[in-house]
Amino acid sequence: MSAARLFILVIAAIAAIVLAFVVRGAFAPKKAEPVAVAAAAASKPMTRVLVAKRDLPVGTRLVAGDMGWQDWPAESLNPVYITDGAPPAPKETGAKGAVKEATSVAGAAVFGDPALQSFVDAVVREPFLAGEPIVARKTIKAGEGNFMAIVLAPGKRAMALPVSVDSAAGGFIMPGDRVDVLFSKNRDGDKGVMTRTVLRNIRVLAIDQTAEAAPDVKALVGAVATLEVAAGDIEVMAGAQAEAKAGGNLSLALRSYADAAAPSGRGGGGSSQASGVRVHRAGQVSEVMATQ
């Protein structure tokens, strides 16, 4: 066989092999593209659920920045979750989805978000993890049962003290303010009036059953003030109340907001120590050191 004929046979064999691969590829079933799968997954109806934006321990008072909206599959939506009220819709991606999200955020900023705002100032009763849906049963709002027990700081006790306009700074003491508790009584005979500071820098939890005054309220007159007292000071407070009933008077002195970080408790501390007792007699004031 000549070299020319052998070369032609080799070329023909290669062409036949190539043609076989081409024909096989043309008739083979095509695999689904990943993009199509992603598009199908994205087309599932989604809704928006109110979730915690950070870890929220027990006792946290919620602010708007603690919560936010997150897309949630409608098929796994729990009835106790808080939604934005919009009907479930396919998740939109790309520029159109970004525009829709920005419009929603801007609308909430301008007109407010009623569902989210309804939880502002609520207190966390059970902890939330970041990304966990906010549910009503794990929070408690002002006026609801056990609210005072949640608001109390660890190691503190709530104690009620009878007050009046005269003994509560004319009604200008509001929940959240800081006060000093003063005790005064007439000394035996004609020896003037004795006054001492029982507790300093004590937080007011409520006036009557009002635990949070409305923004436009300038004064709040009530018959009872509930104070947050350290566990080690409740005996001192109870003793002062007993003395007042036996013939004395307890009053509250409003402190400046600038003093909120000052020590709290007996004599500004919380342990037994010497404190000043002022004696008013015949227009003269003298101070005597006494141990509490």
Side-chain angles (χ1 to χ4, degrees):
M1 180 181 296
S2 64
R5 181 171 293 183
L6 181 62
F7 178 75
I8 292 172
L9 290 175
V10 172
I11 295 299
I14 294 174
I17 294 172
V18 172
L19 180 61
F21 277 105
V22 171
V23 172
R24 182 181 178 183
F27 290 97
K30 294 183 178 180
K31 294 182 179 180
E33 295 292 334
V35 176
V37 176
S43 65
K44 290 183 178 181
M46 305 289 287
T47 188
R48 295 205 308 163
V49 170
L50 190 65
V51 301
K53 295 177 67 175
R54 64 181 182 88
D55 291 347
L56 301 172
V58 175
T60 301
R61 185 180 291 275
L62 295 177
V63 298
D66 292 331
M67 301 168 286
W69 296 106
Q70 179 174 302
D71 290 327
W72 202 273
E75 62 184 9
S76 61
L77 185 65
N78 191 302
V80 301
Y81 293 169
I82 310 300
T83 65
D84 62 355
K91 173 65 175 177
E92 297 184 8
T93 58
K96 187 175 181 180
V99 171
K100 185 176 181 180
E101 180 68 18
T103 302
S104 175
V105 172
V110 175
F111 301 106
D113 196 328
L116 186 151
Q117 291 296 327
S118 67
F119 282 89
V120 171
D121 287 334
V123 177
V124 175
R125 179 161 53 184
E126 298 180 30
F128 290 97
L129 298 178
E132 180 181 348
I134 299 292
V135 294
R137 68 173 179 79
K138 297 179 70 172
T139 65
I140 190 166
K141 301 177 183 178
E144 296 180 347
N146 295 328
F147 177 79
M148 192 60 66
I150 297 295
V151 170
L152 275 172
K156 300 289 187 176
R157 305 291 187 267
M159 295 194 69
L161 174 68
V163 294
S164 63
V165 176
D166 293 337
S167 65
F172 289 102
I173 295 177
M174 300 286 184
D177 286 342
R178 294 275 177 167
V179 298
D180 289 347
V181 181
L182 306 177
F183 172 80
S184 59
K185 72 173 183 178
N186 293 321
R187 295 172 64 86
D188 295 335
D190 188 19
K191 298 181 179 179
V193 178
M194 182 274 291
T195 302
R196 75 171 186 269
T197 300
V198 180
L199 297 174
R200 291 182 169 86
N201 198 24
I202 303 301
R203 183 163 73 109
V204 179
L205 296 173
I207 300 295
D208 288 343
Q209 278 69 51
T210 301
E212 185 173 354
D216 57 343
V217 173
K218 304 300 182 184
L220 187 60
V221 178
V224 176
T226 302
L227 308 179
E228 185 181 63
V229 181
D233 292 335
I234 56 176
E235 294 90 349
V236 175
M237 187 69 178
Q241 288 181 296
E243 284 187 82
K245 290 179 181 179
N249 182 60
L250 285 174
S251 58
L252 304 180
L254 180 63
R255 295 177 68 102
S256 167
Y257 280 122
D259 296 335
S264 175
R266 283 174 281 183
S271 58
S272 297
Q273 53 184 282
S275 61
V277 176
R278 292 182 176 85
V279 178
H280 303 260
R281 180 173 55 190
Q284 301 294 322
V285 180
S286 59
E287 185 165 347
V288 179
M289 301 307 294
T291 301
Q292 295 182 328

